[in-house]
Amino acid sequence: MNINITLLAQIIAFVILVWLVSKYLWTPLSALMEARRQKIADGLSASERGKHELKLAQERSAEILRETKEKANDIVAQANARANQVLEDARVNAKVEAERIVAQATAEIDREVNRAKEALRTQVSAIAVTGAERILKREVTIKDHEAALADLIAHI
Amino acid sequence: MSTETAGGSSVEYIQHHLANLSVGQGFWQLNIDTLIFSFLLGALILFIAMKIGQNLRTETPGRFQNAVEGVLEFVDNQVKDSFGGKAPALIAPLALTILVWVWLMNFMDLIPIDLLPAIAHGLGVPHLKIVPTTDLNTPLAMALVVFLLTVYYNIKVKGFGGYIKMFLFHPFGKFFVPVNVVMTLIEELAKPISLGLRLFGNMFAGELVFMLIALLTLGATLSASLLIWFPLQVVLDLAWLIFHILVISLQAFIFMVLTIVYLGMAHIDADSH
């Protein structure tokens, strides 16, 4: 167990071994571990970012959904109002039309009545002339008695 | 431990086990077994490093790569705790090498104490010490490298003047310069010596206990007393073996942590001391 030249040999061996371990084991392996650490850190930050973006997208979609619902409600309300309007218009139109038709019909009827009266008057006057002819046994010309007949027609 | 017959008395047995396979005399003695086993274990580390390095995978690390990454991260955390994230690139590989190499060399202590020497003996090799860390040269070599690095970083961080100032005005201020020089010198020198001797002492003592346990049935013949000694030996050996797993790991860890701490202290500026 004396200290001897082995000491020097072991010093050299130790230095060489440290150098070799550093070159072939430590440097490549620690570089690899560092790269992996970096990769994991990147992945984690990417997932964090993704999560954040997902949250934003969810908020945005909720917003859009809410707006759309509001819009749809508006549209339905508008449509209802419009339908009511149309119905109301139709009702008013129908009423006006009906009144118009009724008025027309009434006027038509009046006209018919007047025409019939006219015709009757003419016929009655003819009948009256004929009757008077028979009674008088002679021809009475309408010309001769036009004034009398007109007077008669006016009385009927 | 098997009832190995190393021949002769207990003293001879222990002396035999404490002798290195060596060439040369005196200071020029070279402990071949220490070198062989420490080189083999160093080569094992490099072999594993190459094996892993061939197919490093970022996405799907293999089970083995995972284990090595775990060790690496453990060492890196220790360094970061001491240095606060601005350690020189050398520190962490140095600490990793120390942890793994020392642990592997310590681990040789758990191999049955007579197994490899007995095989070697059969092959005509007279002595074989298989635990490099029980050879004082190995721990001291690492401690000296660490010491030289602390000196290097001290000068690099504080400047040469700053390093000298540390000796002159630390710990008692400018009125006790001679005392300060002696105190700081002792403090600085105690670091590598205690670092090396701690590991050596623990491993040496651990090996010695294995030897003592092996002595229980040394040279015993088949007799009634063996019925008592042999089970006792097995129980004691198992107990010490399990305890020693803790010791070898702890010593490797302590050596690494102290290395990091010493180098970390070298990086603290004298003013903030």
Side-chain angles (χ1 to χ4, degrees):
Chain A
M1 74 187 85
N2 301 320
I3 294 172
N4 50 40
I5 195 69
T6 313
L7 181 68
L8 189 65
Q10 288 291 69
I11 286 176
I12 295 167
F14 180 56
V15 169
I16 292 173
L17 185 63
V18 169
W19 179 66
L20 289 175
V21 165
S22 171
K23 187 161 188 253
Y24 291 109
L25 183 61
W26 185 274
T27 308
L29 203 55
S30 61
L32 176 135
M33 285 165 76
E34 189 51 48
R36 180 189 301 149
R37 227 190 315 267
Q38 194 56 46
K39 199 165 190 180
I40 290 172
D42 286 352
L44 281 179
S45 71
S47 85
E48 198 61 38
R49 213 164 44 236
K51 220 185 267 175
H52 186 64
E53 267 163 21
L54 177 66
K55 204 178 150 201
L56 283 184
Q58 272 171 348
E59 273 171 15
R60 210 163 51 229
S61 77
E63 179 73 14
I64 288 172
L65 206 63
R66 205 170 52 75
E67 274 174 13
T68 312
K69 255 181 201 160
E70 260 172 28
K71 219 177 265 175
N73 282 343
D74 281 358
I75 289 171
V76 168
Q78 270 178 9
N80 278 340
R82 184 91 189 94
N84 284 341
Q85 181 71 33
V86 166
L87 217 60
E88 194 59 35
D89 284 357
R91 197 176 291 146
V92 170
N93 280 347
K95 212 175 204 170
V96 169
E97 186 73 8
E99 275 166 5
R100 198 179 55 79
I101 288 169
V102 168
Q104 214 172 10
T106 314
E108 188 77 15
I109 288 165
D110 283 352
R111 237 183 356 259
E112 268 324 296
V113 168
N114 281 342
R115 212 171 34 234
K117 269 183 184 168
E118 206 64 40
L120 272 177
R121 268 181 200 146
T122 317
Q123 280 176 3
V124 166
S125 69
I127 290 166
V129 170
T130 312
E133 249 177 22
R134 288 218 184 129
I135 295 166
L136 298 178
K137 301 277 196 203
R138 64 167 175 118
E139 193 175 343
V140 179
T141 57
I142 293 172
K143 240 180 204 165
D144 293 340
H145 305 285
E146 217 166 333
L149 279 172
D151 189 47
L152 195 67
I153 286 164
H155 276 96
I156 292 169
Chain B
M1 227 80 357
S2 64
T3 55
E4 162 70 17
T5 53
S9 65
S10 313
V11 177
E12 253 176 66
Y13 173 81
I14 288 179
Q15 273 176 348
H16 180 83
H17 269 284
L18 290 184
N20 281 102
L21 175 68
S22 60
V23 291
Q25 288 298 317
F27 177 75
W28 295 105
Q29 181 186 331
L30 194 63
N31 297 337
I32 294 171
D33 47 4
T34 301
L35 293 182
I36 286 176
F37 282 106
S38 56
F39 285 11
L40 277 179
L41 294 170
L44 178 67
I45 297 172
L46 290 175
F47 174 73
I48 290 169
M50 301 273 188
K51 194 88 180 156
I52 291 174
Q54 271 171 1
N55 53 351
L56 282 179
R57 283 171 296 183
T58 318
E59 307 292 329
T60 53
R63 211 174 289 174
F64 205 52
Q65 187 187 331
N66 252 337
V68 175
E69 276 181 19
V71 174
L72 195 139
E73 195 142 35
F74 170 72
V75 173
D76 203 34
N77 282 336
Q78 294 289 335
V79 174
K80 281 195 181 120
D81 284 349
S82 266
F83 278 82
K86 50 180 169 47
L90 174 68
I91 307 294
L94 176 76
L96 177 70
T97 310
I98 286 174
L99 179 71
V100 180
W101 201 34
V102 169
W103 191 84
L104 283 174
M105 290 193 292
N106 289 354
F107 182 83
M108 300 300 288
D109 218 1
L110 300 184
I111 294 172
I113 192 162
D114 279 315
L115 182 65
L116 293 179
I119 293 171
H121 199 71
L123 294 172
V125 178
H127 299 282
L128 192 67
K129 253 180 103 181
I130 64 166
V131 192
T133 39
T134 56
D135 182 348
L136 182 56
N137 291 300
T138 307
L140 218 53
M142 289 187 288
L144 279 177
V145 172
V146 172
F147 175 66
L148 291 177
L149 281 175
T150 58
V151 173
Y152 167 73
Y153 281 121
N154 259 318
I155 293 173
K156 192 183 171 195
V157 172
K158 298 166 188 158
F160 190 71
Y163 190 49
I164 297 296
K165 248 189 239 167
M166 192 183 93
F167 278 87
L168 295 180
F169 305 126
H170 174 83
F172 292 124
K174 56 187 172 182
F175 300 114
F176 295 91
V177 170
V179 183
N180 287 342
V181 170
V182 173
M183 293 285 280
T184 313
L185 207 60
I186 291 172
E187 188 189 329
E188 289 300 304
L189 287 179
K191 279 180 193 170
I193 292 173
S194 70
L195 185 63
L197 286 182
R198 179 183 298 107
L199 177 60
F200 165 71
N202 273 282
M203 300 320 297
F204 184 78
E207 197 188 30
L208 212 57
V209 171
F210 278 124
M211 285 179 206
L212 294 175
I213 292 169
L215 277 179
L216 284 177
T217 57
L218 183 71
T221 49
L222 201 60
S223 63
S225 66
L226 199 62
L227 284 177
I228 303 168
W229 289 118
F230 185 67
L232 182 67
Q233 184 184 38
V234 170
V235 169
L236 280 177
D237 199 50
L238 187 64
W240 185 244
L241 194 68
I242 292 168
F243 179 63
H244 213 54
I245 293 174
L246 186 70
V247 172
I248 64 164
S249 309
L250 200 62
Q251 287 306 320
F253 176 67
I254 287 172
F255 203 108
M256 180 194 76
V257 168
L258 284 179
T259 299
I260 296 169
V261 167
Y262 290 158
L263 290 172
M265 280 164 72
H267 280 79
I268 296 170
D269 237 337
D271 303 327
S272 58
H273 224 36

